[in-house]
Amino acid sequence: LKNLYPYTVSRPIYPNPTFEEDNERQAREERTLRERLSRTCGSALKVVKGVFPVIDWFSRYLIREWLPGDVLSGVSTGLVCSLQGLAYALLVSVAPVYGLYSAFFPILTYFLLGTSRHISVGLFPVTCLMVGSVVLTLAPDDHFLLPGNGTGVNGTKADRIVVDVEAMEAQRIMVASSMTVLVGLFQVVMGLLQVGFLVRYLSDPLVGGFTTAAAFHVLISQLKIVLYVPTNNHSGCFSILCTLIDVFTNIRQTNRADLVAGLLTIVIVMAVKEVNTKFRHKIPVPIPIKVIVTVVAAGISYATALESRYSASIVHSIPRGFAPGQPANIELLWNILGSSFSTAVVGYAVAVSVAKVYAAKHDYTIDGNHVLIAFGFSFVFCGCFSSFVASTALSRTAVQEITGGKSHMAGIISAVMVMIVILALGHLLEPLQKSVLAAIVIANLKGMFMQVTEVPTLWRQNSADCVSNTMGTVLVRTQFPACSTLGNIPGTNIYRSMKDYKNITEVPGMKIFKCKAPIYFANIDYFKERLRATVGFDSVRVFKKRNKALKKIQKLIKKGKLRATETGEVVSEVSLGVDNKGFESERDSGREPGQVEVHVDWAMELPVRVSVPKVQLQNVVAVKSLRQFLRIGVNVYIAGCDDEIVWKMEALAFFDLEVIRDLLFLSVHNAILFIKLETANGSMQDAMVEGARDQEICGLFSDFN
């Protein structure tokens, strides 16, 4: 700016107590327990509406305006949910029919308990993969081998052993459903404990990196299905590498019919999705290409008998109706605690992220803790009916919103569509090739893989956040906060870091120390280290050395080698100086009756052989170290504390006769002016400089702004 306009501010130099008195600071009202409970709980109807939001929104449902859009949206989303249920069951390594169950049951409970009107509850590939990894770990093929002749699962040739497929399917769905119940219990407990805020530590780059890595896992797991080559089940570290080795080792056994169907599906689905995206403002309803491809592929497979003629892998059986309910296997729960908790966190993070996007778009709010409870009860419920963990997906939710969905009614209609598939239409998809379903899963991963393109931007914004765990970054930044020594821009009331500017001066005789983070138990030691480095001495060590010197001087006086006057002045080679205030309990314990307190000039040579660090300082800052500085004659001031910090100081009995409220100032400049004024007048307040001498006036400043 070429034109700089100076301004002048004229106001009193305010210590905090004076400011509060002049402006009539109000005392905070303490509510009674009854008032708190009444404020929290409210009326019984409000509580019921809070638990069951359906009561609130259904009473205000606009039938004429909302129902047509909800019906169209529900039908479109229901078809997508059905298809994804069949496809994502492959990620969990269970029969496709269980994917249909998982696309149906969670919607029912979320209809009653959910707060987001637009998200489409259903399967999400990342959570399905997490469940599938546990399923393969606890129920691998090797646990179900039987003697006989035939072909094993996934094309594995076995001359004398076969896999008991029926027993394996039963055990795998038991593992998946038991894990789903445990995930739901974790989420309910987290919601009741109001810990939904923890998702704030899962930043967008962290979630994006996790989902991108998970997408790579999904791609590899589906690649073997598209190729239909024999592979072994692998879990744990390097499982992806082992799977890839198996795939390329047996690449010559690729089933051409499955490969062609899979590649065509990927190309067609991705191409039409691009068309939907590019012309979304012109096309009233997105082309349901996945549904079209699935129906056409099932018809071609049935008409050409791909299984019998080309040994293609097909869905086979999709039984009509629902499986009977069954409780979770308690014995399995102890083996899946860690995996269930991580899945609960990931599922919640994805759901609440999508919910917040559409809540902000349509101007309503959601409660993160209630989202936890809603999804938690949904998982507990659906886990008892042979289902596995669901969540939501941005693409499926976008379909529901674009096609006119206005409320949860669209979700319940989509559940009806899934139910129709389960009860009546499922058998029509039995000839469908599994490679088509796997290809649809792969095509859906494009959005996750495209997140890689954001890495350069994230790197430019903040390289630490780009490559590290967000929680770790937050902990490091708060445990090792940035601290700086401030100086004054000459002729202004502006104070900046001494390292950042050339035209800046340090206030003579003062140290202005700033810590750019809250001070708590994890960073207090680092705070003290930085403070010691700034002031150039350790206040605790100075006190101990001074106390030791005083005790030796007392002994010399007792032996007659030194003499002290009645006022405590040492008559010898030692000049008059600053009163060492020391720790009274320690000093008094070494004083015998008749001894007098001596005053020592610590800047001069001492009459005893004790190396006492020199304090070449007039002013410094800290909170925890206040008393340590005060006891060696260094005055301490705190500047820039907001009212909330002052309230907490008072509540914790921070102030006493030694650390008084007059050391608080509204700003750094206020404190600097106060010290300069009082020093010039030679009339420092006794309460703030008791024991000080003309030679040394020290203070400690802290800027918390």
Side-chain angles (χ1 to χ4, degrees):
L1 295 177
K2 295 183 178 180
N3 298 324
L4 300 178
Y5 300 95
Y7 69 94
T8 303
V9 177
S10 177
R11 65 169 177 81
I13 299 173
Y14 271 130
N16 269 48
T18 306
F19 177 80
E20 293 168 0
E21 181 180 352
D22 289 353
N23 293 278
E24 300 181 1
R25 179 192 183 195
Q26 297 180 351
R28 295 190 177 184
E29 298 181 0
E30 293 292 335
R31 295 188 179 91
T32 64
L33 179 60
R34 173 178 292 183
E35 290 174 339
R36 292 179 182 178
L37 291 175
S38 176
R39 184 182 180 88
T40 303
C41 299
S43 63
L45 180 59
K46 184 178 180 181
V47 174
V48 173
K49 286 183 177 180
V51 177
F52 299 100
V54 63
I55 299 175
D56 184 37
W57 68 260
F58 193 74
S59 62
R60 296 182 286 105
Y61 187 80
L62 304 176
I63 297 178
R64 292 184 178 180
E65 290 83 355
W66 291 2
L67 186 58
D70 282 341
V71 171
L72 177 60
S73 175
V75 172
S76 303
T77 309
L79 294 175
V80 175
C81 286
S82 301
L83 179 59
Q84 291 183 344
L86 294 171
Y88 292 159
L90 302 179
L91 294 174
V92 188
S93 300
V94 296
V97 68
Y98 297 115
L100 292 175
Y101 298 161
S102 303
F104 172 75
F105 285 108
I107 299 176
L108 303 182
T109 45
Y110 193 81
F111 174 79
L112 301 175
L113 302 174
T115 54
S116 176
R117 300 196 299 265
H118 292 86
I119 66 171
S120 173
V121 179
L123 301 179
F124 184 63
V126 175
T127 53
C128 290
L129 182 67
M130 297 175 75
V131 176
S133 65
V134 175
V135 168
L136 290 179
T137 300
L138 298 182
D141 293 350
D142 297 343
H143 290 186
F144 305 94
L145 299 179
L146 296 175
N149 296 320
T151 303
V153 173
N154 202 22
T156 304
K157 298 297 182 179
D159 295 331
R160 296 187 177 180
I161 56 174
V162 294
V163 176
D164 187 347
V165 177
E166 184 177 348
M168 182 182 67
E169 288 287 352
Q171 181 62 19
R172 286 184 173 181
I173 193 58
M174 174 58 72
V175 173
S177 59
S178 298
M179 181 176 176
T180 301
V181 171
L182 187 56
V183 168
L185 292 176
F186 273 128
Q187 292 190 338
V188 170
V189 171
M190 291 168 64
L192 294 176
L193 294 178
Q194 303 287 297
V195 295
F197 69 91
L198 291 176
V199 77
R200 298 173 187 170
Y201 291 98
L202 303 177
S203 65
D204 290 340
L206 176 63
V207 175
F210 179 84
T211 53
T212 302
F216 185 71
H217 280 263
V218 173
L219 174 63
I220 301 303
S221 69
Q222 300 305 290
L223 180 61
K224 62 183 181 182
I225 299 176
V226 172
L227 299 175
Y228 193 48
V229 294
T231 61
N232 296 315
N233 291 325
H234 301 284
S235 60
C237 297
F238 307 109
S239 59
I240 289 184
L241 181 60
C242 294
T243 302
L244 280 175
I245 292 174
D246 288 348
V247 168
F248 288 107
T249 300
N250 301 308
I251 195 70
R252 294 180 182 274
Q253 302 180 39
T254 298
N255 186 289
R256 296 180 181 180
D258 285 331
L259 176 60
V260 171
L263 292 178
L264 286 175
T265 300
I266 293 174
V267 172
I268 293 172
V269 170
M270 295 185 68
V272 176
K273 286 181 69 173
E274 288 297 321
V275 172
N276 286 337
T277 302
K278 186 174 182 179
F279 298 100
R280 61 182 180 274
H281 299 298
K282 298 181 180 180
I283 303 176
V285 178
I287 302 173
I289 186 60
K290 299 173 190 176
V291 177
I292 295 174
V293 167
T294 301
V295 173
V296 172
I300 293 175
S301 177
Y302 176 77
T304 58
L306 290 179
E307 182 190 19
S308 59
R309 296 177 61 183
Y310 300 100
S311 300
S313 175
I314 64 174
V315 172
H316 283 295
S317 175
I318 300 180
R320 295 184 180 183
F322 295 94
Q326 58 180 352
N329 188 331
I330 304 300
E331 297 178 357
L332 291 174
L333 300 184
W334 297 106
N335 298 325
I336 55 178
L337 283 175
S339 301
S340 298
F341 180 76
S342 59
T343 305
V345 174
V346 171
Y348 168 67
V350 172
V352 78
S353 299
V354 175
K356 285 184 176 180
V357 168
Y358 285 92
K361 183 177 181 179
H362 294 277
D363 194 23
Y364 62 91
T365 60
I366 61 168
D367 182 355
N369 293 305
H370 197 88
V371 171
L372 270 172
I373 295 173
F375 272 97
F377 278 115
S378 296
F379 295 159
V380 172
F381 174 70
C382 70
C384 295
F385 291 92
S386 301
S387 304
F388 47 87
V389 175
S391 181
T392 187
L394 189 60
S395 59
R396 189 172 60 246
T397 302
V399 171
Q400 179 168 311
E401 192 238 6
I402 291 173
T403 52
K406 302 293 185 182
S407 70
H408 296 277
M409 194 65 72
I412 204 67
I413 294 174
S414 68
V416 172
M417 294 301 299
V418 177
M419 183 177 66
I420 292 174
V421 174
I422 294 173
L423 298 178
L425 303 179
H427 69 284
L428 298 178
L429 299 176
E430 290 179 354
L432 180 65
Q433 292 171 268
K434 288 184 178 180
S435 63
V436 173
L437 296 176
I440 291 174
V441 173
I442 294 174
N444 282 340
L445 300 177
K446 179 189 173 183
M448 297 184 188
F449 283 124
M450 291 302 294
Q451 294 176 126
V452 176
T453 60
E454 300 176 6
V455 172
T457 302
L458 293 173
W459 180 267
R460 290 192 297 269
Q461 292 175 347
N462 193 312
S463 58
D465 285 343
C466 181
V467 301
S468 63
N469 180 283
T470 307
M471 177 69 81
T473 303
V474 171
L475 291 177
V476 169
R477 287 176 176 172
T478 58
Q479 190 169 354
F480 303 99
C483 300
S484 58
T485 303
L486 304 186
N488 177 245
I489 304 298
T492 72
N493 65 344
I494 300 173
Y495 295 83
R496 292 292 184 268
S497 174
M498 294 286 294
K499 295 181 179 180
D500 297 337
Y501 296 89
K502 292 182 178 179
N503 185 29
I504 194 170
T505 59
E506 188 173 42
V507 181
M510 303 181 189
K511 288 290 185 182
I512 308 173
F513 180 79
K514 180 176 182 179
C515 178
K516 301 178 182 179
I519 301 173
Y520 67 111
F521 68 92
N523 64 12
I524 186 61
D525 290 334
Y526 179 80
F527 175 84
K528 291 179 179 179
E529 290 176 8
R530 298 295 300 154
L531 181 58
R532 285 194 293 266
T534 298
V535 301
F537 61 86
D538 185 343
S539 58
V540 176
R541 184 169 179 268
V542 170
F543 157 71
K544 291 182 177 179
K545 290 292 186 179
R546 287 186 178 185
N547 199 40
K548 183 178 180 181
L550 283 173
K551 289 181 179 180
K552 288 192 174 184
I553 291 173
Q554 290 282 8
K555 290 181 180 180
L556 292 176
I557 293 175
K558 184 178 180 181
K559 293 179 180 179
K561 296 182 180 181
L562 291 177
R563 182 171 58 87
T565 64
E566 293 182 356
T567 60
E569 299 170 355
V570 179
V571 180
S572 182
E573 300 175 0
V574 184
S575 304
L576 300 180
V578 178
D579 174 23
N580 182 77
K581 297 180 65 178
F583 287 107
E584 297 294 338
S585 59
E586 293 184 21
R587 191 175 62 198
D588 290 346
S589 62
R591 187 185 304 162
E592 298 178 1
Q595 286 184 329
V596 295
E597 183 176 352
V598 298
H599 301 298
V600 179
D601 183 354
W602 299 106
M604 302 296 293
E605 183 179 355
L606 301 179
V608 293
R609 293 183 179 179
V610 177
S611 178
V612 179
K614 304 298 182 182
V615 180
Q616 305 293 339
L617 179 65
Q618 291 184 342
N619 294 290
V620 199
V621 156
V623 175
K624 296 290 184 181
S625 304
L626 272 177
R627 287 175 174 79
Q628 296 172 5
F629 282 97
L630 291 173
R631 287 163 178 167
I632 62 171
V634 177
N635 290 311
V636 183
Y637 306 91
I638 303 177
C641 288
D642 58 33
D643 291 339
E644 189 65 30
I645 294 178
V646 177
W647 282 108
K648 291 181 179 179
M649 286 180 173
E650 293 174 342
L652 296 173
F654 180 80
F655 302 106
D656 54 24
L657 295 177
E658 189 174 28
V659 181
I660 58 177
R661 296 185 79 257
D662 286 344
L663 60 82
L664 298 176
F665 285 86
L666 296 180
S667 67
V668 171
H669 196 60
N670 249 31
I672 297 292
L673 294 178
F674 175 79
I675 291 178
K676 287 183 176 180
L677 180 62
E678 293 300 313
T679 302
N681 293 338
S683 57
M684 277 293 218
Q685 299 178 18
D686 292 339
M688 304 181 72
V689 294
E690 182 179 352
R693 291 294 178 265
D694 294 337
Q695 173 190 346
E696 188 174 312
I697 302 173
C698 301
L700 193 61
F701 299 88
S702 183
D703 186 358
F704 291 89
N705 289 335

